Amino acid sequence: MTLKAARDLVREAERLVVLSGAGLSAESGLSTYRGAGGYWRQHRATDLATPEAFERDPALVWEWYSERRRAALEALPNPAHHALASFQEQRGRDRVALVTQNVDGLLQRAGAPEVLELHGSLFRVRCSARCGGECHDERTPWPHPVPCAACGAPLRPGVVWFGESLPELVYASAIDLASSADVVLVVGTSAVVQPAAGLAAIGAQHGAAVVEVNLEPTPLSGSVNVSLLAAAGEVLPVLLAP
Ligand code: BV8
């Protein structure tokens, strides 16, 4: 019943917002953050994903991101990425919005026409002094801290670290999308990182039905309309099939 209920909700949605997390890319072989073998199991987030960590040891942070870029470039989009990309392509970006916390670029590589990256991208590099220097960069291994051509400060990964605000326009768009959605599909996130995780509640507060696909229960599970405890790569192709 729940899979059919979820499928009906998602397929009948006029404005679907999909909020994804690291679990979407797990079946592509990429580590999650908090699950078994997750990044934060080996390292503390504060040791790697904060401006202070970069300040303290830029080489360690670069090394971690260089390793993650290599893994992301070697990974292939899985059936969940392809199902989401095809659904957005078929229905159009104005009916299907893909909002991701992921930084691996796999939805784009699956052919998704438009992806909103709440936490930036492994393949964006920007000036740590915020002088405006920024570029797309897929070199791997990344050269160790490279000086910004414009001001000489070290370049840094173009991702959002803990304690940093999300890109203003991206987050404002995500709030608008969630507020006007009739269905929010949450896929592969532990729903603990804010303000991203709060987008599902924003949708629900504005009347959206919320469907969750996750391997394990999350803080959202008790309040969603349908909670599917399953792997994204198995469920999404069924949920989104024509
Ligand atoms: C900010 C960087 C303003 C890139 C990341 C309330 C409001 C605002 C802020 C806060 C708040 N409360 C606390 C905060 C502070 C903090 C925060 O949320 N802390 C948490 C940990 C308590 N938030 C921030 O700092 C944010 N900034 O709000 O700015 C501000 C400014 C100054 C001071 C305060 C506030 C910035 C947050 C962004 C941090 N950057 N990453 C990178 O290196 O990757 S966070 C990191 O976690 C990733 O971006 C990731 O996407 C995100 C969420 O993790 P998940 O994607 O959910 O991954 P996780 O491993 O946790 O879960 C995976 C799930 O998938 C699991 O449940 C698993 O069961 C499931 N799964 C696994 N396999 C599958 C599967 N599901 C389906 N199928 C499968 N096959």
Side-chain angles (χ1 to χ4, degrees):
M1 173 50 189
T2 47
L3 184 56
K4 178 166 179 342
R7 182 174 152 77
D8 291 346
L9 279 170
V10 165
R11 296 192 55 73
E12 284 155 24
E14 276 311 308
R15 284 175 313 290
L16 172 72
V17 171
V18 183
L19 173 65
S20 56
L24 176 66
S25 299
E27 288 156 276
S28 297
L30 296 186
S31 294
T32 62
Y33 292 83
R34 296 165 186 86
Y39 292 125
W40 302 152
R41 289 292 170 88
Q42 274 95 3
H43 304 280
R44 284 177 312 137
T46 45
D47 293 346
L48 294 165
T50 62
E52 296 75 17
F54 185 73
E55 181 96 23
R56 188 172 56 243
D57 190 345
L60 172 69
V61 174
W62 274 83
E63 191 184 327
W64 185 52
Y65 280 92
S66 195
E67 169 47 34
R68 288 177 59 196
R69 284 153 61 100
R70 185 196 55 71
L73 287 170
E74 285 176 0
L76 294 175
N78 66 56
H81 294 110
H82 286 297
L84 288 170
S86 309
F87 201 63
Q88 186 182 53
E89 207 158 17
Q90 287 152 19
R91 299 256 173 132
R93 290 178 270 190
D94 54 344
R95 286 189 62 192
V96 178
L98 302 179
V99 179
T100 190
Q101 298 171 90
N102 296 344
V103 294
D104 56 36
L106 286 178
L107 273 169
Q108 293 91 324
R109 283 177 51 201
E114 185 175 52
V115 180
L116 224 50
E117 293 175 313
L118 294 173
H119 294 160
S121 166
L122 287 172
F123 305 105
R124 203 169 299 140
V125 181
R126 67 173 174 79
C127 173
S128 59
R130 293 187 179 278
C131 82
E134 171 163 329
C135 66
H136 182 86
D137 177 295
E138 294 202 4
R139 276 173 298 172
T140 180
W142 238 348
H144 278 285
V146 171
C148 167
C151 76
L155 290 175
R156 55 161 281 181
V159 298
V160 178
W161 280 329
F162 287 102
E164 293 185 322
S165 300
L166 276 57
E168 218 167 301
L169 292 180
V170 170
Y171 184 47
S173 307
I175 290 180
D176 285 348
L177 288 163
S179 308
S180 51
D182 49 344
V183 178
V184 176
L185 172 60
V186 185
V187 183
T189 181
S190 59
V192 296
V193 172
Q194 298 296 350
L199 291 167
I202 290 174
Q205 283 152 17
H206 288 78
V210 183
V211 175
E212 181 185 44
V213 174
N214 207 65
L215 271 189
E216 58 197 355
T218 74
L220 288 181
S221 304
S223 57
V224 298
N225 297 69
V226 184
S227 170
L228 300 174
L229 294 180
E234 285 162 30
V235 165
L236 290 194
V238 175
L239 219 50
L240 302 172

